[in-house]
Coordinates of all heavy atoms in Angstrom, one line a residue:
M1 N 20.1 10.4 13.0 CA 20.8 10.4 11.8 C 19.8 10.1 10.7 O 18.7 9.5 10.9 CB 21.9 9.3 11.8 CG 21.3 7.9 11.9 SD 22.5 6.5 11.9 CE 24.1 7.2 11.7
R2 N 20.1 10.6 9.5 CA 19.2 10.4 8.4 C 20.0 10.3 7.1 O 21.0 10.9 7.0 CB 18.2 11.5 8.2 CG 17.3 11.4 7.0 CD 16.2 12.5 7.0 NE 15.6 12.5 5.6 CZ 14.4 12.8 5.4 NH1 13.6 13.1 6.4 NH2 13.9 12.8 4.1
A3 N 19.6 9.4 6.2 CA 20.2 9.3 4.9 C 19.1 9.3 3.8 O 18.1 8.6 4.1 CB 21.1 8.1 4.8
D4 N 19.3 9.9 2.7 CA 18.3 10.0 1.7 C 18.8 9.4 0.4 O 19.9 9.7 -0.1 CB 17.9 11.5 1.4 CG 17.1 12.1 2.5 OD1 17.6 12.1 3.6 OD2 16.0 12.6 2.2
G5 N 18.0 8.5 -0.2 CA 18.2 8.0 -1.5 C 17.3 8.8 -2.4 O 16.8 9.9 -2.1
M6 N 17.0 8.3 -3.6 CA 16.1 9.0 -4.5 C 14.7 8.7 -4.2 O 13.8 9.5 -4.2 CB 16.4 8.5 -6.0 CG 15.6 9.3 -7.0 SD 16.2 9.1 -8.7 CE 17.9 9.4 -8.5
F7 N 14.4 7.4 -3.7 CA 13.0 7.0 -3.4 C 12.7 6.8 -2.0 O 11.6 6.9 -1.5 CB 12.7 5.7 -4.2 CG 12.9 5.8 -5.7 CD1 14.0 5.1 -6.3 CD2 12.1 6.6 -6.5 CE1 14.2 5.2 -7.6 CE2 12.4 6.7 -7.8 CZ 13.4 6.0 -8.4
I8 N 13.8 6.5 -1.2 CA 13.7 6.1 0.2 C 14.6 6.9 1.0 O 15.8 7.1 0.6 CB 14.0 4.6 0.4 CG1 12.9 3.7 -0.3 CG2 14.1 4.2 1.8 CD1 11.6 3.7 0.3
A9 N 14.2 7.3 2.2 CA 15.0 7.9 3.2 C 14.9 7.1 4.5 O 13.8 6.5 4.7 CB 14.7 9.3 3.5
V10 N 15.9 7.0 5.3 CA 15.8 6.3 6.6 C 16.3 7.2 7.6 O 17.4 7.9 7.5 CB 16.7 5.0 6.6 CG1 16.8 4.4 8.0 CG2 16.0 3.9 5.6
E11 N 15.6 7.3 8.7 CA 15.9 8.2 9.8 C 16.0 7.3 11.1 O 15.1 6.5 11.3 CB 14.8 9.2 9.9 CG 15.2 10.4 10.7 CD 14.1 11.5 10.6 OE1 13.0 11.3 10.9 OE2 14.4 12.6 10.0
V12 N 17.0 7.5 11.9 CA 17.2 6.7 13.1 C 17.5 7.7 14.2 O 18.4 8.6 14.1 CB 18.3 5.7 13.0 CG1 18.4 4.9 14.3 CG2 18.1 4.7 11.8
D13 N 16.8 7.6 15.3 CA 17.0 8.4 16.5 C 18.5 8.3 16.8 O 19.1 7.3 16.9 CB 16.2 7.8 17.6 CG 16.4 8.5 18.9 OD1 15.8 9.5 19.1 OD2 17.3 8.0 19.7
D14 N 19.1 9.5 17.1 CA 20.6 9.6 17.3 C 21.1 8.8 18.5 O 22.1 8.1 18.4 CB 21.0 11.0 17.4 CG 21.1 11.7 16.0 OD1 21.3 11.0 15.0 OD2 20.9 12.9 16.0
A15 N 20.3 8.8 19.5 CA 20.7 8.1 20.7 C 20.7 6.6 20.5 O 21.6 5.9 20.9 CB 19.8 8.5 21.9
A16 N 19.7 6.2 19.8 CA 19.5 4.7 19.5 C 20.7 4.3 18.5 O 21.2 3.2 18.6 CB 18.2 4.5 18.9
A17 N 21.0 5.2 17.6 CA 22.1 4.8 16.6 C 23.4 4.6 17.3 O 24.3 3.9 16.7 CB 22.2 5.9 15.6
A18 N 23.6 5.1 18.5 CA 24.8 4.9 19.2 C 24.8 3.6 20.0 O 25.9 3.3 20.6 CB 25.1 6.1 20.2
D19 N 23.7 2.9 20.0 CA 23.6 1.6 20.8 C 24.1 0.5 19.9 O 23.4 0.1 18.9 CB 22.1 1.5 21.1 CG 21.8 0.2 21.9 OD1 22.6 -0.7 21.9 OD2 20.7 0.1 22.4
A20 N 25.2 -0.1 20.2 CA 25.8 -1.1 19.4 C 24.9 -2.4 19.3 O 24.9 -3.0 18.2 CB 27.2 -1.5 20.0
A21 N 24.1 -2.7 20.3 CA 23.3 -3.9 20.3 C 22.1 -3.7 19.3 O 21.8 -4.6 18.5 CB 22.7 -4.2 21.7
L22 N 21.6 -2.5 19.3 CA 20.5 -2.2 18.3 C 21.1 -2.1 16.9 O 20.5 -2.6 16.0 CB 19.9 -0.8 18.7 CG 18.8 -0.4 17.7 CD1 17.6 -1.4 17.7 CD2 18.3 1.0 18.0
A23 N 22.3 -1.5 16.8 CA 22.9 -1.5 15.4 C 23.2 -2.9 14.9 O 22.9 -3.1 13.7 CB 24.3 -0.7 15.5
K24 N 23.5 -3.8 15.8 CA 23.7 -5.2 15.3 C 22.4 -5.8 14.9 O 22.4 -6.5 13.8 CB 24.3 -6.0 16.5 CG 24.7 -7.4 16.2 CD 25.5 -8.0 17.3 CE 26.1 -9.3 17.0 NZ 25.2 -10.4 16.9
R25 N 21.4 -5.6 15.6 CA 20.1 -6.2 15.2 C 19.6 -5.6 13.9 O 19.1 -6.4 13.1 CB 19.0 -5.8 16.3 CG 19.2 -6.6 17.6 CD 17.8 -6.8 18.3 NE 17.2 -5.5 18.7 CZ 17.5 -4.8 19.7 NH1 18.4 -5.2 20.6 NH2 16.9 -3.7 20.0
L26 N 19.8 -4.3 13.7 CA 19.3 -3.7 12.4 C 20.2 -4.3 11.3 O 19.7 -4.6 10.2 CB 19.4 -2.2 12.5 CG 18.4 -1.5 13.4 CD1 18.7 -0.1 13.6 CD2 17.0 -1.7 12.8
T27 N 21.5 -4.4 11.5 CA 22.4 -4.9 10.5 C 22.0 -6.3 10.1 O 22.0 -6.6 8.9 CB 23.8 -4.8 11.0 OG1 24.1 -3.4 11.3 CG2 24.8 -5.3 9.9
E28 N 21.6 -7.1 11.0 CA 21.3 -8.5 10.7 C 19.9 -8.6 10.1 O 19.6 -9.5 9.3 CB 21.3 -9.3 12.0 CG 22.7 -9.5 12.5 CD 22.8 -10.2 13.9 OE1 21.8 -10.3 14.6 OE2 23.9 -10.5 14.3
A29 N 19.0 -7.6 10.4 CA 17.6 -7.7 10.0 C 17.4 -7.4 8.5 O 16.6 -8.0 7.8 CB 16.7 -6.9 10.9
C30 N 18.1 -6.3 8.1 CA 17.8 -5.8 6.8 C 18.3 -6.6 5.6 O 19.5 -6.9 5.5 CB 18.3 -4.3 6.6 SG 18.0 -3.6 5.0
P31 N 17.4 -7.1 4.7 CA 17.9 -8.0 3.7 C 18.7 -7.4 2.6 O 19.3 -8.0 1.8 CB 16.6 -8.6 3.1 CG 15.6 -7.5 3.4 CD 16.0 -6.9 4.7
V32 N 18.7 -6.0 2.6 CA 19.4 -5.3 1.5 C 20.5 -4.4 2.0 O 21.0 -3.5 1.4 CB 18.5 -4.5 0.6 CG1 17.5 -5.5 -0.2 CG2 17.7 -3.5 1.3
D33 N 20.9 -4.7 3.3 CA 22.1 -4.1 3.9 C 22.1 -2.6 3.9 O 23.1 -1.9 3.5 CB 23.4 -4.6 3.1 CG 23.6 -6.1 3.3 OD1 23.1 -6.6 4.3 OD2 24.2 -6.7 2.4
I34 N 21.0 -2.0 4.3 CA 20.9 -0.6 4.5 C 21.6 -0.1 5.8 O 22.0 1.0 5.9 CB 19.4 -0.1 4.4 CG1 19.0 -0.2 2.9 CG2 19.2 1.3 5.0 CD1 17.5 0.0 2.6
Y35 N 21.6 -1.1 6.7 CA 22.3 -0.8 8.0 C 23.6 -1.5 8.1 O 23.8 -2.6 7.7 CB 21.4 -1.2 9.2 CG 20.0 -0.6 9.1 CD1 18.9 -1.4 8.5 CD2 19.7 0.6 9.5 CE1 17.7 -0.8 8.4 CE2 18.4 1.2 9.5 CZ 17.4 0.4 8.9 OH 16.2 1.0 8.8
A36 N 24.6 -0.8 8.7 CA 25.9 -1.4 9.0 C 26.4 -0.9 10.3 O 25.8 0.1 10.9 CB 26.8 -1.0 7.8
Q37 N 27.5 -1.5 10.8 CA 28.1 -1.0 12.0 C 29.4 -0.4 11.7 O 30.3 -1.0 11.0 CB 28.3 -2.2 13.0 CG 27.0 -2.6 13.7 CD 27.2 -3.6 14.7 OE1 27.2 -4.8 14.3 NE2 27.3 -3.3 16.0
A38 N 29.7 0.7 12.3 CA 31.0 1.4 12.2 C 32.0 0.6 13.1 O 31.6 -0.3 13.8 CB 30.9 2.8 12.7
G39 N 33.2 0.9 13.0 CA 34.3 0.2 13.8 C 34.0 0.2 15.3 O 34.4 -0.8 16.0
D40 N 33.4 1.2 15.8 CA 33.1 1.3 17.2 C 31.7 0.7 17.6 O 31.3 0.8 18.7 CB 33.1 2.8 17.7 CG 32.1 3.7 17.0 OD1 31.3 3.2 16.2 OD2 32.0 4.9 17.4
G41 N 31.1 0.1 16.6 CA 29.8 -0.6 16.9 C 28.6 0.2 16.6 O 27.5 -0.3 16.6
T42 N 28.7 1.5 16.5 CA 27.6 2.4 16.3 C 27.0 2.2 14.9 O 27.7 1.6 14.0 CB 27.9 3.8 16.5 OG1 28.9 4.2 15.6 CG2 28.4 4.1 17.9
L43 N 25.8 2.7 14.7 CA 25.1 2.4 13.4 C 25.6 3.3 12.3 O 25.9 4.5 12.5 CB 23.6 2.7 13.7 CG 22.7 2.3 12.5 CD1 22.6 0.8 12.3 CD2 21.3 2.9 12.7
E44 N 25.6 2.7 11.1 CA 25.9 3.5 9.9 C 24.7 3.2 8.9 O 24.2 2.1 8.9 CB 27.2 3.1 9.2 CG 28.4 3.6 9.9 CD 29.7 3.3 9.1 OE1 29.7 2.3 8.4 OE2 30.7 3.9 9.4
L45 N 24.3 4.2 8.2 CA 23.4 4.0 7.1 C 24.1 3.9 5.8 O 25.0 4.8 5.5 CB 22.4 5.1 7.1 CG 21.5 5.2 8.3 CD1 20.6 6.5 8.2 CD2 20.6 4.0 8.5
V46 N 23.8 2.9 5.0 CA 24.6 2.7 3.7 C 23.8 3.3 2.6 O 22.8 2.8 2.1 CB 24.8 1.2 3.5 CG1 25.6 1.0 2.2 CG2 25.4 0.5 4.7
E47 N 24.2 4.5 2.2 CA 23.3 5.4 1.3 C 23.1 4.7 0.0 O 22.0 4.8 -0.6 CB 24.0 6.7 1.1 CG 23.8 7.6 2.3 CD 24.2 9.1 2.0 OE1 24.0 9.5 0.8 OE2 24.6 9.8 2.9
R48 N 24.1 4.0 -0.5 CA 24.0 3.4 -1.9 C 22.9 2.3 -1.9 O 22.5 1.9 -3.0 CB 25.3 2.9 -2.4 CG 25.9 1.7 -1.6 CD 27.2 1.3 -2.2 NE 27.7 0.1 -1.4 CZ 28.3 0.2 -0.3 NH1 28.5 1.4 0.3 NH2 28.8 -0.9 0.4
N49 N 22.5 1.8 -0.8 CA 21.6 0.7 -0.7 C 20.1 1.2 -0.4 O 19.2 0.4 -0.5 CB 22.0 -0.3 0.3 CG 23.2 -1.1 -0.1 OD1 23.6 -1.1 -1.3 ND2 23.9 -1.8 0.8
L50 N 20.0 2.4 -0.1 CA 18.7 2.9 0.4 C 17.5 2.6 -0.6 O 16.5 2.1 -0.2 CB 18.7 4.4 0.6 CG 19.4 4.9 1.9 CD1 19.6 6.4 1.8 CD2 18.6 4.5 3.1
D51 N 17.8 2.8 -1.9 CA 16.7 2.6 -2.8 C 16.4 1.1 -3.1 O 15.5 0.8 -3.9 CB 17.0 3.4 -4.1 CG 16.8 4.9 -3.9 OD1 16.0 5.3 -3.0 OD2 17.6 5.7 -4.5
E52 N 17.2 0.3 -2.5 CA 16.9 -1.2 -2.6 C 15.9 -1.6 -1.6 O 15.4 -2.8 -1.6 CB 18.2 -2.0 -2.4 CG 19.3 -1.6 -3.3 CD 19.0 -1.8 -4.8 OE1 18.3 -2.8 -5.1 OE2 19.4 -1.0 -5.6
C53 N 15.4 -0.8 -0.7 CA 14.5 -1.1 0.4 C 13.3 -1.8 -0.2 O 12.7 -1.3 -1.2 CB 14.1 0.1 1.1 SG 12.8 -0.2 2.4
V54 N 12.9 -3.0 0.4 CA 11.8 -3.7 -0.1 C 10.6 -3.6 0.8 O 9.6 -4.3 0.7 CB 12.1 -5.2 -0.3 CG1 13.1 -5.4 -1.4 CG2 12.7 -5.8 1.0
L55 N 10.6 -2.6 1.7 CA 9.5 -2.3 2.6 C 9.0 -3.5 3.4 O 7.8 -3.6 3.7 CB 8.3 -1.7 1.8 CG 8.7 -0.5 0.9 CD1 7.5 -0.1 0.0 CD2 9.2 0.7 1.7
C56 N 10.0 -4.3 3.9 CA 9.7 -5.5 4.6 C 9.3 -5.3 6.1 O 8.8 -6.2 6.7 CB 10.8 -6.5 4.5 SG 12.3 -5.9 5.3
R57 N 9.7 -4.1 6.6 CA 9.4 -3.8 8.0 C 10.3 -4.5 9.0 O 10.0 -4.4 10.2 CB 7.9 -4.0 8.3 CG 7.0 -3.1 7.6 CD 5.5 -3.4 8.0 NE 4.6 -2.5 7.3 CZ 4.2 -2.6 6.1 NH1 4.6 -3.6 5.3 NH2 3.4 -1.7 5.6
L58 N 11.2 -5.3 8.6 CA 12.0 -6.1 9.5 C 12.8 -5.1 10.5 O 13.0 -5.4 11.6 CB 13.0 -7.0 8.8 CG 12.3 -8.2 8.1 CD1 13.3 -9.0 7.3 CD2 11.5 -9.1 9.1
C59 N 13.2 -4.0 9.9 CA 14.0 -3.0 10.8 C 13.1 -2.4 11.8 O 13.5 -2.1 12.9 CB 14.6 -1.9 9.9 SG 13.5 -1.0 8.9
L60 N 11.8 -2.2 11.5 CA 10.8 -1.7 12.5 C 10.6 -2.7 13.6 O 10.5 -2.4 14.7 CB 9.5 -1.3 11.8 CG 9.6 -0.3 10.6 CD1 8.3 0.0 10.1 CD2 10.4 0.9 11.0
D61 N 10.5 -4.0 13.2 CA 10.3 -5.0 14.1 C 11.5 -5.2 15.1 O 11.4 -5.7 16.2 CB 10.0 -6.4 13.4 CG 8.7 -6.4 12.7 OD1 7.9 -5.5 13.0 OD2 8.5 -7.2 11.9
A62 N 12.7 -4.9 14.6 CA 13.9 -5.1 15.3 C 14.3 -4.0 16.2 O 15.3 -4.0 17.0 CB 15.1 -5.3 14.3
S63 N 13.5 -2.9 16.3 CA 13.8 -1.7 17.0 C 12.6 -1.3 17.8 O 11.4 -1.6 17.5 CB 14.3 -0.6 16.1 OG 13.3 -0.3 15.1
P64 N 12.8 -0.5 18.9 CA 11.7 0.0 19.7 C 10.9 0.9 18.9 O 11.4 1.6 17.9 CB 12.4 0.8 20.8 CG 13.8 0.2 20.9 CD 14.1 -0.2 19.5
D65 N 9.6 1.1 19.2 CA 8.7 1.9 18.4 C 9.2 3.3 18.3 O 9.7 3.9 19.2 CB 7.3 2.0 19.1 CG 6.5 0.7 18.9 OD1 6.9 -0.1 18.1 OD2 5.5 0.6 19.6
G66 N 9.2 3.8 17.0 CA 9.5 5.2 16.8 C 11.0 5.5 16.6 O 11.3 6.6 16.2
V67 N 11.8 4.5 16.8 CA 13.3 4.8 16.7 C 13.7 4.8 15.2 O 14.6 5.6 14.9 CB 14.0 3.7 17.4 CG1 15.5 3.6 17.0 CG2 13.9 3.9 18.9
V68 N 13.1 4.0 14.4 CA 13.5 3.9 13.0 C 12.3 4.4 12.1 O 11.2 3.9 12.4 CB 13.9 2.5 12.6 CG1 14.1 2.4 11.0 CG2 15.1 2.0 13.3
R69 N 12.6 5.2 11.2 CA 11.5 5.7 10.3 C 12.0 5.4 8.8 O 13.1 5.9 8.5 CB 11.2 7.1 10.4 CG 10.4 7.4 11.7 CD 10.6 8.8 12.2 NE 10.5 9.9 11.2 CZ 9.4 10.5 10.9 NH1 8.3 10.3 11.5 NH2 9.5 11.5 9.9
V70 N 11.2 4.7 8.1 CA 11.5 4.5 6.7 C 10.5 5.3 5.9 O 9.3 5.2 6.0 CB 11.3 3.0 6.3 CG1 11.5 2.8 4.8 CG2 12.3 2.1 7.1
I71 N 11.1 6.3 5.2 CA 10.3 7.4 4.6 C 10.2 7.1 3.1 O 11.2 7.0 2.4 CB 10.9 8.7 4.9 CG1 10.9 8.9 6.4 CG2 10.1 9.9 4.2 CD1 11.9 9.9 6.9
K72 N 9.0 7.1 2.6 CA 8.8 6.9 1.1 C 8.8 8.2 0.4 O 7.7 8.8 0.3 CB 7.5 6.1 0.9 CG 7.6 4.7 1.6 CD 6.3 3.9 1.3 CE 5.3 4.1 2.3 NZ 4.1 3.1 2.2
L73 N 9.9 8.6 -0.1 CA 10.0 9.9 -0.7 C 9.2 9.9 -2.0 O 8.7 11.0 -2.4 CB 11.5 10.2 -1.1 CG 12.4 10.2 0.1 CD1 13.9 10.4 -0.4 CD2 12.1 11.4 1.1
Y74 N 9.0 8.8 -2.6 CA 8.2 8.7 -3.9 C 6.7 8.8 -3.6 O 5.9 8.9 -4.5 CB 8.5 7.4 -4.6 CG 8.1 6.1 -3.8 CD1 6.8 5.6 -3.8 CD2 9.0 5.5 -3.0 CE1 6.4 4.5 -3.1 CE2 8.7 4.4 -2.2 CZ 7.4 3.9 -2.3 OH 7.0 2.8 -1.5
D75 N 6.3 8.8 -2.3 CA 4.9 8.8 -1.9 C 4.7 10.0 -1.0 O 4.1 9.9 0.1 CB 4.5 7.5 -1.2 CG 3.0 7.4 -1.0 OD1 2.3 8.2 -1.6 OD2 2.7 6.5 -0.2
D76 N 5.2 11.2 -1.4 CA 5.1 12.4 -0.6 C 5.6 12.3 0.8 O 5.0 12.9 1.8 CB 3.6 12.8 -0.6 CG 3.2 13.4 -1.9 OD1 4.1 13.9 -2.6 OD2 2.0 13.4 -2.2
G77 N 6.6 11.4 1.1 CA 7.2 11.3 2.4 C 6.4 10.5 3.4 O 6.6 10.6 4.6
A78 N 5.5 9.6 2.9 CA 4.7 8.8 3.8 C 5.7 7.9 4.5 O 6.7 7.4 4.0 CB 3.7 7.9 3.0
V79 N 5.4 7.7 5.8 CA 6.3 6.8 6.7 C 5.7 5.4 6.7 O 4.6 5.2 6.9 CB 6.3 7.4 8.1 CG1 7.2 6.5 9.0 CG2 6.9 8.8 8.0
L80 N 6.7 4.5 6.5 CA 6.3 3.0 6.5 C 5.9 2.7 8.0 O 6.6 3.0 8.9 CB 7.5 2.2 6.1 CG 7.3 0.7 6.1 CD1 6.3 0.3 5.0 CD2 8.6 0.0 5.8
A81 N 4.7 2.1 8.1 CA 4.2 1.8 9.4 C 3.9 0.4 9.6 O 3.9 -0.4 8.6 CB 2.9 2.6 9.7
Ligands
SF4_101 S1 12.0 -2.0 5.5 FE1 13.2 -3.9 5.1 S2 14.5 -3.4 3.4 FE2 13.7 -1.5 4.1 S3 15.3 -0.7 5.5 FE3 13.8 -1.8 6.8 S4 14.7 -3.9 6.9 FE4 15.7 -2.9 5.2

């Protein structure tokens, strides 16, 4: 799944997004509520909050390597590492 704001896009591996435990960790980790859980526990991306991203990397720390990509659209699509 992917959602795009004006400055930031977030991409999450589809299989991982279906993992309720991972969705919970991401929801708890992000200080600006870019991640949420749907009624069935799967991950949702909150589009209206995307551009609030503070590049804190907490979502990257909360997930296995490569599952979450924070893309800096304002920087030619550079991926937060
Ligand atoms: S880098 Fe920080 S603010 Fe941005 S999506 Fe990840 S947890 Fe949220």
Side-chain angles (χ1 to χ4, degrees):
M1 65 179 0
R2 174 173 168 148
D4 286 58
M6 189 166 305
F7 304 111
I8 293 288
V10 171
E11 196 170 64
V12 181
D13 176 84
D14 282 333
D19 177 347
L22 178 64
K24 183 170 191 286
R25 286 206 302 278
L26 289 171
T27 300
E28 289 172 354
C30 180
V32 295
D33 297 332
I34 286 171
Y35 304 97
Q37 283 183 278
D40 63 359
T42 59
L43 187 68
E44 285 184 339
L45 295 174
V46 183
E47 283 194 31
R48 67 181 179 280
N49 291 342
L50 283 169
D51 289 329
E52 304 299 322
C53 175
V54 293
L55 307 175
C56 66
R57 298 179 173 79
L58 291 174
C59 57
L60 304 182
D61 292 343
S63 57
D65 284 352
V67 162
V68 173
R69 286 156 44 94
V70 177
I71 300 157
K72 296 184 268 188
L73 299 174
Y74 62 86
D75 189 15
D76 286 334
V79 176
L80 183 65

